[in-house]
């Protein structure tokens, strides 16, 4: 079976294949039934989209069968799916839907409260778990793949609009075409040897590129089955894997930590799983995972934008992501000058000792598959400068060319593998009545990715009240679930540069090791307490245990 040029071709290949293709709880659909369902939804979509409108639909769903069915339907119809993040709230959620010009929004009853009171002009709502939806869809039961299209379906046809945040503030929608998604799926089939009898377990949210590009697409390209978990559950993970016969899954670092935190069982290795593919697990946790569960975790690097990718080879050292397929394409450079950074130097324990000289921004100086952002020329220009693709990600590179992930640049934060923009969090925190000035920035997580830190300068006469601050955060309807600061530093005055801009470099350099009062909420989601000597020592021990101390700036504690 040759490679397909479009996702639509991959969906059409399912026609007549009566092997199990999609599993969710007690429901099993064959590959053929998936294709039949996709064809019916494609025909419905073609009828629902107004003439002259952009061929876009929003999908606001948990991981239920409707999500991959609508992805397949969009591919057949030549439409694009905007994955809508249910952790967004209020006007920001409405903005995501309207900005991507979705004239149809597919959702479920559980998410209807998120849409209450939102201004969504011209958006047709389809609620999948209702009798009205079932009756509407029944009218298209006889459709076949190719019956209903919005235009010629080609490799350059838009397929995905996936949100990613950056220093410009509001989330941008990265474009992924059918050709790029089909190629990404086939690449992983070839790299991991995906077989037709494999089962890909999708437990990461499908509104995110991780689940669609790295899990669903290779299953589709390789003829494997897909098993869905509505939402990730560490306690239910192994039971699902066994029940579905899952052989492959994708992850983000935090999910691996949650799995390792579950109580050990004698049957932890009694399962068919052979491989996990994802990001930011960390070398320490990856080794622990393999020792406990007998499953190899393969770290990858890529983004919804698709502007740069790193290939893992069998000789990749522990802790590294891999190296560029073409040596000179990817470089680690000074974000200001564009000059290449020094090669990484490690101590006998394998820890980076010259982070200040070695860490820089990863750029792609060669041909890039980046396909741009939806209606955002300014963001396109910021991403591709001087003929280079600037990833916005920090890396360092060893003498053999292997690349190691080190964090995010400027006010980009990546928390639990979700990209956040500091400016948006700052806008929310600025509502707090006691705040005179606010700055939000990333500090490295002890294991992987970033944590959110905020510096607050208080109004004259105000005293920081941690309980009042926590209550304020809880009352903000647009504060997403990943946005609450883990650390809060109370500064007497906000540090600024000579041009009167907030001196973020100085704030990041000090991080949470400050002579100013620093408060933190421990594991997140609770009350704030002082980050004192004992708490700080325990936190720094976590960085040491995971080999990430070098990512903290080389300053004396409590500066």
């Amino acid at each position: 079976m040759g490679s397909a040029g479009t996702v639509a071709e991959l969906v059409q290949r399912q026609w007549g294949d009566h092997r199990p293709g999609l599993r969710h709880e007690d429901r099993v659909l064959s590959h053929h039934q998936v294709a039949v369902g996709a064809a019916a939804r494609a025909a419905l979509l073609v009828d629902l989209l107004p003439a002259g409108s952009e061929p876009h639909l929003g999908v606001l769903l948990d991981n239920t069968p409707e999500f991959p069915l609508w992805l397949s339907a969009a591919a057949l119809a030549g439409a694009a799916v905007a994955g809508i993040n249910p952790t967004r709230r209020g006007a920001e959620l409405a903005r995501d839907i309207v900005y991507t010009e979705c004239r149809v929004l597919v959702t479920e009853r559980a998410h209807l409260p998120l849409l209450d009171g939102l201004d969504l002009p011209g958006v047709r709502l389809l609620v999948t778990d209702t009798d009205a939806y079932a009756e509407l869809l029944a009218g298209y039961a006889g459709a076949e793949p190719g019956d209903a299209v919005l235009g010629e379906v080609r490799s350059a046809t838009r397929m995905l609009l996936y949100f990613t945040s950056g220093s410009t503030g509001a989330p941008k929608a990265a474009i992924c075409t059918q050709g790029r998604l089909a190629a990404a799926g086939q690449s992983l089939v070839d790299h991991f040897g995906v077989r037709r009898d494999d089962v890909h377990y999708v437990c990461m949210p499908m509104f995110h590129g991780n689940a669609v590009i790295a899990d669903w697409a290779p299953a589709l390209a390789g003829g494997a089955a897909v098993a869905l978990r509505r939402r990730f559950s560490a306690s239910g993970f192994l039971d699902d894997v066994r029940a579905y016969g899952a052989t492959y899954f994708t992850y983000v670092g935090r999910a691996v930590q949650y799995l390792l935190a579950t109580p050990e069982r004698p049957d932890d290795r009694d399962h068919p799983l052979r491989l996990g593919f994802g990001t930011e697990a960390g070398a320490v946790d990856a080794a622990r995972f393999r020792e406990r569960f007998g499953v190899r975790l393969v770290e990858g690097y890529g983004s919804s934008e698709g502007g740069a990718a790193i290939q893992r080879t069998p000789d990749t050292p522990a802790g590294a992501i891999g190296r560029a397929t073409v040596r000179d394409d990817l470089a680690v450079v000074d974000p200001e000058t564009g000059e290449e950074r020094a090669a990484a130097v490690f101590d006998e324990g394998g820890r980076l000792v010259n982070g200040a000289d070695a860490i820089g921004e990863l750029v792609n100086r060669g041909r890039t598959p980046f396909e741009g952002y939806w209606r955002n020329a300014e963001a396109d220009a910021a991403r591709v400068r001087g003929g280079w693709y600037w990833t916005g990600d920090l890396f360092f590179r060893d003498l053999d060319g292997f690349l190691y992930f080190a964090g995010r640049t400027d006010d980009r934060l990546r928390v639990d593998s979700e990209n956040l923009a500091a400016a948006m969090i700052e806008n929310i925190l600025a509502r707090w009545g006691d705040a005179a000035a606010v700055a939000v920035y990333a500090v490295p997580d002890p294991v992987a990715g970033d944590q959110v830190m905020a510096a607050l300068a208080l109004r004259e006469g105000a005293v920081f009240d941690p309980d009042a601050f926590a209550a304020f955060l809880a009352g903000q309807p647009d504060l997403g679930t990943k946005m609450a600061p883990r650390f809060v530093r109370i500064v007497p005055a906000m540090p600024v540069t000579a041009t009167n801009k907030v001196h973020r470099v100085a704030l990041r350099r000090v991080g949470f090791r400050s002579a100013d009062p620093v408060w933190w909420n421990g594991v997140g989601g609770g009350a704030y307490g002082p980050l004192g000597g004992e708490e700080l020592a325990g936190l720094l021990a976590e960085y040491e245990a995971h080999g990430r101390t070098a990512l903290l700036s080389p300053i004396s504690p409590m500066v």
Side-chain angles (χ1 to χ4, degrees):
M1 185 180 295
S3 299
T6 66
V7 179
E9 292 175 52
L10 295 175
V11 175
Q12 290 167 354
R13 286 180 181 179
Q14 295 181 298
W15 195 265
D17 185 347
H18 296 285
R19 297 175 303 122
L22 179 60
R23 299 175 181 268
H24 176 252
E25 297 175 352
D26 295 330
R27 186 179 180 189
V28 180
L29 297 178
S30 69
H31 289 281
H32 177 73
Q33 287 173 314
V34 170
V36 169
R41 287 161 179 79
L44 170 60
L45 179 63
V46 170
D47 281 353
L48 290 182
L49 284 174
S53 67
E54 292 294 343
H56 298 170
L57 69 147
V59 177
L60 176 62
L61 293 171
D62 289 337
N63 290 357
T64 67
E66 289 291 341
F67 210 128
L69 283 167
W70 275 103
L71 284 170
S72 298
L76 293 176
V81 169
I84 306 301
N85 184 344
T87 70
R88 300 269 285 168
R89 295 292 185 273
E92 299 300 335
L93 177 63
R95 178 261 173 200
D96 292 349
I97 299 165
V98 174
Y99 157 62
T100 46
E101 301 183 49
C102 296
R103 302 301 296 273
V104 174
L105 178 64
V106 181
T107 190
E108 55 190 309
R109 285 183 292 181
H111 290 320
L112 287 178
L114 298 178
L115 303 174
D116 284 348
L118 298 190
D119 185 18
L120 300 173
V123 177
R124 171 70 181 267
L125 204 62
L126 296 180
V127 185
T128 59
D129 48 351
T130 61
D131 291 340
Y133 175 78
E135 292 170 5
L136 183 63
L137 199 55
Y140 297 88
E144 296 187 9
D147 281 357
V149 295
L150 296 163
E152 183 183 0
V153 178
R154 301 175 292 114
S155 62
T157 300
R158 285 192 300 277
M159 174 70 206
L160 303 176
L161 296 170
Y162 268 91
F163 286 103
T164 178
S165 298
S167 58
T168 54
K172 305 176 290 293
I175 297 169
C176 179
T177 59
Q178 290 214 22
R180 181 157 73 87
L181 184 57
Q186 186 60 49
S187 175
L188 291 175
V189 168
D190 297 338
H191 192 65
F192 292 133
V194 176
R195 305 185 300 255
R196 284 167 57 83
D197 60 350
D198 278 330
V199 177
H200 286 211
Y201 179 52
V202 182
C203 55
M204 296 293 100
M206 293 195 75
F207 66 78
H208 194 276
N210 173 289
V212 173
I213 298 172
D215 211 343
W216 178 74
L220 188 64
V226 167
L228 302 175
R229 175 82 187 196
R230 176 178 281 273
R231 294 182 182 178
F232 174 75
S233 167
S235 61
F237 181 85
L238 277 183
D239 290 339
D240 275 357
V241 165
R242 296 186 184 106
Y244 295 133
T247 56
Y248 170 99
F249 78 108
T250 60
Y251 63 85
V252 297
R254 193 70 63 190
V256 171
Q257 293 174 52
Y258 291 149
L259 290 169
L260 289 170
T262 58
E264 293 191 26
R265 294 170 14 183
D267 60 352
D268 275 344
R269 284 175 168 247
D270 182 17
H271 57 75
L273 200 62
R274 72 169 189 272
L275 180 69
F277 177 55
T279 61
E280 302 177 6
V284 173
D285 283 348
R288 291 176 58 207
F289 196 89
R290 185 164 191 170
E291 180 180 357
R292 176 175 169 183
F293 298 107
V295 178
R296 180 168 65 104
L297 300 184
V298 177
E299 287 283 295
Y301 174 80
S303 64
S304 297
E305 292 99 329
I310 298 173
Q311 184 178 46
R312 189 175 185 87
T313 54
D315 58 340
T316 299
I321 303 297
R323 51 184 163 192
T325 53
V326 179
R327 168 71 192 226
D328 293 333
D329 278 0
L330 299 188
V332 178
V333 304
D334 184 314
E336 299 297 328
T337 67
E339 296 180 0
E340 286 203 50
R341 306 296 277 164
V345 177
F346 303 95
D347 65 14
E348 293 181 357
R351 291 178 170 84
L352 179 68
V353 297
N354 67 332
D357 297 321
I359 295 174
E361 184 170 353
L362 185 71
V363 298
N364 186 352
R365 301 183 295 195
R367 182 179 177 275
T368 172
F370 174 57
E371 295 170 312
Y373 297 108
W374 177 248
R375 298 203 189 287
N376 199 330
E378 181 181 354
D380 290 346
R383 184 63 70 194
V384 180
R385 308 191 305 273
W388 294 359
Y389 176 88
W390 296 73
T391 65
D393 295 326
L394 298 174
F395 275 78
F396 53 93
R397 189 178 208 163
D398 66 21
L399 286 170
D400 295 319
F402 289 102
L403 292 156
Y404 300 70
F405 180 72
R408 309 289 152 179
T409 60
D410 297 330
D411 69 343
R412 289 166 58 89
L413 303 88
R414 189 169 176 85
V415 179
D416 291 355
S417 287
E418 284 195 30
N419 288 325
L420 304 175
M424 299 188 67
I425 305 174
E426 287 173 354
N427 290 339
I428 296 172
L429 299 188
R431 301 170 190 159
W432 190 43
D434 285 344
V438 177
V440 170
Y441 44 100
V443 294
D445 183 274
V447 178
D450 302 324
Q451 290 185 356
V452 180
M453 184 163 185
L456 299 178
L458 303 181
R459 297 190 183 279
E460 186 174 354
V463 176
F464 182 71
D465 182 337
D467 293 335
F469 182 71
F472 160 79
L473 294 178
Q476 304 310 300
D478 52 349
L479 186 74
T481 56
K482 310 295 185 184
M483 292 181 176
R486 180 67 53 86
F487 304 97
V488 178
R489 174 183 173 185
I490 307 302
V491 297
M494 193 65 66
V496 296
T497 66
T499 57
N500 209 35
K501 295 181 179 179
V502 173
H503 200 329
R504 297 180 188 277
V505 173
L507 290 170
R508 285 195 296 270
R509 183 181 298 125
V510 175
F512 49 75
R513 298 178 294 174
S514 170
D516 295 326
V518 175
W519 299 74
W520 75 320
N521 64 358
V523 297
Y528 286 83
L531 183 60
E534 184 177 342
E535 293 85 0
L536 179 60
L539 181 60
L540 292 175
E542 285 191 60
Y543 286 90
E544 181 67 19
H546 288 89
R548 286 173 65 85
T549 301
L551 300 184
L552 300 174
S553 296
I555 63 170
S556 299
M558 305 308 292
V559 169

